[in-house]
Amino acid sequence: MPDYKPSLGRALETVALRVKGSLQTEMLAPEATLGRVLAELVRAPSAFPATRRAAMDGTAMGRGLVPARILTGETAPPGVEWVIKEEDGVVGEHLPRGVPPETHICGAGSEYRQGDLLSAAGRRVSPALISQGLLLGVEKWRVFEVPMVHVVVVGEAAESAAVLHWLTGSLAARLPFAVEGRVVPRVEDMAMVQRGRCHLLVVASDGAPGRYLEMRALYAAPPPWFRPDFWKVDVHPCKHFGFGRVGDVPALVCPDNLCKTALT
């Protein structure tokens, strides 16, 4: 029998465990992961910059040093206390007055310290993130392919198309998932939708009279193709949705009007 009204924490743990189990992760070099999703958080393997560096083009100056040209990103030689911008100009070897030490110099580790968070898990890998990873010396990180979510709305009423449009748009905007959707006339038709690559089924109804009891029966008397994990969640107001598996695919089932449930 499915768990009835688990706590929100336990319900989320169950969902995370099932969905994570449906994903295949790989350890790959950052440049080979464009468009995939990070499976783990990524931390800086070392401090950056590793040495003091010039923050802009100009003249490197210090007590007892001969002024020298320096470019943005170059390592500041020992003894350099200032980098004077080109447009400010330098008169002979006179040290600048009223300019605090370390002006226009980035200290070692000023941008990232070793162990600083570079990215949280669940983020889609972008060219900018790859550049950051390579710059900081990340050799590999754990990723998975973009998960596929199938949204199924059970019903024949005109409301089904509106619910489907709202739900697919909301998921695509908030999660790094690929989202597909369709309307099916009967609850048992959801068993056929998960064929092919699918990591999560999200099942809703059109809210028609009797639809709630029809979908509730999935938990009261589960058919052979559905294995329920829990029904409802112990929060206030109580959320009328359950979770289980259609075959090996995790399925989140909301027999109520899903728009109303989301708003409450």
Side-chain angles (χ1 to χ4, degrees):
M1 291 295 294
D3 193 2
Y4 181 71
K5 292 182 72 173
S7 67
L8 180 60
R10 194 166 71 200
L12 291 175
E13 287 178 4
T14 301
V15 173
L17 181 65
R18 295 294 189 207
V19 175
K20 187 176 180 180
S22 70
L23 300 171
Q24 298 296 321
T25 64
E26 297 180 275
M27 288 292 292
L28 297 173
E31 61 268 28
T33 60
L34 181 62
R36 297 200 182 196
V37 180
L38 290 174
E40 301 172 339
L41 56 80
V42 179
R43 296 190 179 276
S46 59
F48 182 84
T51 60
R52 296 168 67 243
R53 296 187 180 187
M56 56 185 57
D57 296 347
T59 303
M61 301 187 70
R63 293 177 178 84
L65 298 180
V66 176
R69 169 82 169 153
I70 193 168
L71 301 178
T72 303
E74 279 192 275
T75 297
V80 170
E81 297 180 67
W82 304 273
V83 172
I84 307 303
K85 293 187 296 183
E86 286 185 338
E87 53 266 36
D88 290 344
V90 175
V91 180
E93 297 183 7
H94 294 290
L95 298 176
R97 292 182 179 181
V99 180
E102 300 299 306
T103 295
H104 304 316
I105 296 176
C106 296
S110 58
E111 294 188 36
Y112 286 96
R113 295 170 299 178
Q114 185 177 12
D116 278 355
L117 182 65
L118 176 60
S119 177
R123 180 178 174 184
R124 195 85 166 258
V125 178
S126 65
L129 184 58
I130 291 174
S131 298
Q132 276 186 297
L134 295 175
L135 187 66
L136 294 172
V138 176
E139 295 182 358
K140 291 184 178 182
W141 50 35
R142 186 172 296 280
V143 295
F144 50 81
E145 290 186 8
V146 176
M148 174 61 72
V149 178
H150 283 281
V151 178
V152 180
V153 179
V154 180
E156 300 180 13
E159 289 82 359
S160 298
V163 173
L164 180 65
H165 177 75
W166 174 82
L167 185 52
T168 54
S170 297
L171 288 174
R174 290 168 172 79
L175 298 173
F177 296 166
V179 182
E180 294 182 351
R182 70 173 69 179
V183 174
V184 298
R186 301 173 303 171
V187 171
E188 54 266 31
D189 292 333
M190 64 184 267
M192 306 300 294
V193 176
Q194 56 88 25
R195 290 180 176 178
R197 192 173 77 89
C198 180
H199 300 97
L200 177 65
L201 271 175
V202 178
V203 185
S205 78
D206 58 0
R211 195 75 68 196
Y212 175 89
L213 294 177
E214 181 184 357
M215 298 181 70
R216 173 66 178 88
L218 285 174
Y219 295 86
W225 47 266
F226 184 68
R227 290 176 289 174
D229 284 308
F230 66 77
W231 171 249
K232 295 188 178 181
V233 177
D234 191 14
V235 294
H236 183 76
C238 184
K239 300 303 182 188
H240 291 260
F241 63 80
F243 186 76
R245 284 166 290 166
V246 176
D248 293 327
V249 178
L252 185 67
V253 181
C254 180
D256 250 343
N257 184 307
L258 192 58
C259 300
K260 183 194 300 180
T261 297
L263 291 174
T264 57

